[in-house]
């Protein structure tokens, strides 16, 4: 009598199919993770973000602007504050010192021409040697919206007056300073702080963080004001 009767073993494809399906799912998942990582890296390269710390200590992440893009208000503020800083001086803050600091915000090939214009603004005063009680203040009435000349280059119109006071004339006199001012975006700030900075250094350094520079100034009525500084200030 046969107690044990062996049964014929049948090979079933189900276990193999299950293992194959599981392996395919794992491979698909790994591919999705890899592609997601690549897309994140590509996104960061195309639109990098910067960490910005606010004055109250909070930090935020912001999208980086293209290097040649500037907000209109940032351009107007740069022009207004730069010209005000450059054309405001006194015996305690002499014009030679102010110019040495603020000229960092001016293109190298235009510095000498602009300095000559500032020097000739008031022929009666001595730019190199300010007498006691002499003060000069730029008062701005209006700065127009920037007009884009080309990518990264703008023109604004500024209407202002230079008020000049002296020790014997405390009422002062007013000299018109209505100009077209051309500015352009630069890659790196040109300003730097010395070891013992003055308040004017800090002001110029803060303005330099806008990464802009003045590269030409023309008379308000000049119809041919261009990027060529040799045509400026006739």
């Amino acid at each position: 009598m046969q107690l044990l009767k062996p049964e014929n073993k049948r090979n079933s494809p189900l276990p193999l199919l299950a293992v194959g399906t599981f392996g395919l799912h794992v491979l698909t998942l790994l591919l999705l993770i890899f592609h997601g990582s690549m897309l994140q890296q590509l996104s960061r390269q195309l639109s990098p973000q910067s960490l910005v710390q606010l004055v109250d200590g909070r930090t935020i992440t912001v999208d980086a602007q293209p290097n040649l893009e500037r907000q209109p208000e940032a351009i107007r503020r740069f022009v207004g504050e730069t010209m005000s800083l450059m054309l405001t001086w006194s015996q305690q803050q002499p014009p030679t010192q102010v110019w040495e600091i603020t000229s960092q915000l001016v293109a190298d090939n235009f510095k000498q021409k602009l300095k000559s214009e500032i020097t000739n603004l008031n022929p009666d005063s001595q730019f190199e040697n300010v007498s006691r009680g002499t003060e000069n203040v730029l008062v701005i009435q209006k700065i127009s919206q920037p007009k884009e000349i080309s990518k990264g280059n703008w023109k604004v119109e500024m209407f202002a007056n230079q008020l000049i006071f002296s020790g014997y004339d405390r009422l002062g006199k007013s000299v018109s300073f209505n100009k077209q001012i051309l500015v352009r975006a630069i890659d790196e700030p040109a300003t730097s702080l010395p070891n013992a900075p003055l308040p004017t250094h800090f002001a110029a350094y803060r303005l330099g963080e806008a990464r802009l520079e003045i590269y030409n100034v023309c008379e308000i009525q000049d119809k041919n004001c261009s990027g060529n500084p040799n045509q400026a200030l006739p």
Side-chain angles (χ1 to χ4, degrees):
M1 183 176 177
Q2 189 176 1
L3 297 178
L4 296 174
K5 184 179 180 180
E7 296 181 356
N8 294 329
K9 296 181 180 178
R10 297 179 179 179
N11 293 328
S12 175
L14 293 178
L16 184 60
L17 181 61
V19 172
T21 303
F22 177 78
L24 182 61
H25 286 169
V26 172
L27 179 61
T28 302
L29 179 61
L30 292 175
L31 288 175
L32 289 174
I33 294 174
F34 174 76
H35 287 164
S37 176
M38 292 294 293
L39 287 174
Q40 287 181 354
Q41 293 181 12
L42 180 61
S43 176
R44 285 194 294 268
Q45 292 175 0
L46 295 178
S47 57
Q49 292 186 320
S50 301
L51 187 66
V52 177
Q53 183 173 350
L54 304 180
V55 292
D56 60 2
R58 293 185 297 117
T59 56
I60 58 174
T61 302
V62 297
D63 294 329
Q65 291 277 0
N67 187 48
L68 296 179
E69 294 292 334
R70 299 293 186 274
Q71 294 297 325
E73 193 57 34
I75 298 171
R76 295 177 70 243
R77 182 175 181 180
F78 172 81
V79 170
E81 294 190 9
T82 297
M83 297 308 297
S84 295
L85 188 65
M86 190 178 295
L87 293 173
T88 299
W89 64 76
S90 64
Q91 187 179 23
Q92 292 73 31
Q93 189 171 275
T96 50
Q97 182 188 81
V98 172
W99 171 254
E100 181 182 355
I101 298 171
T102 58
S103 62
Q104 298 179 80
L105 303 169
V106 179
D108 289 338
N109 63 340
F110 183 56
K111 288 181 180 180
Q112 188 57 46
K113 200 169 188 67
L114 183 56
K115 183 180 179 181
S116 297
E117 171 70 5
I118 294 174
T119 304
N120 296 330
L121 189 61
N122 179 22
D124 297 332
S125 67
Q126 296 182 350
F127 187 82
E128 302 294 335
N129 185 20
V130 179
S131 59
R132 183 178 178 86
T134 299
E135 295 181 2
N136 289 256
V137 180
L138 184 71
V139 178
I140 298 175
Q141 278 79 45
K142 179 183 177 182
I143 297 179
S144 69
Q145 288 294 323
K147 178 182 178 181
E148 188 173 38
I149 303 172
S150 59
K151 197 66 175 177
N153 295 261
W154 301 269
K155 179 193 296 184
V156 299
E157 294 182 349
M158 185 182 75
F159 298 87
N161 287 283
Q162 180 79 2
L163 303 183
I164 303 169
F165 304 93
S166 63
Y168 59 87
D169 182 12
R170 300 314 299 169
L171 293 177
K173 69 176 183 178
S174 176
V175 179
S176 176
F177 195 82
N178 300 330
K179 306 291 183 181
Q180 300 177 70
I181 300 176
L182 276 63
V183 299
R184 63 188 171 201
I186 56 177
D187 292 330
E188 296 293 335
T191 54
S192 59
L193 289 174
N195 294 330
L198 300 170
T200 309
H201 284 109
F202 286 113
Y205 184 81
R206 178 176 55 82
L207 289 170
E209 290 179 336
R211 290 187 297 171
L212 291 166
E213 70 175 7
I214 296 173
Y215 69 96
N216 203 357
V217 175
C218 307
E219 297 295 339
I220 199 70
Q221 69 273 13
D222 187 355
K223 303 298 183 182
N224 298 315
C225 186
S226 69
N228 181 6
N230 293 326
Q231 297 179 5
L233 307 174

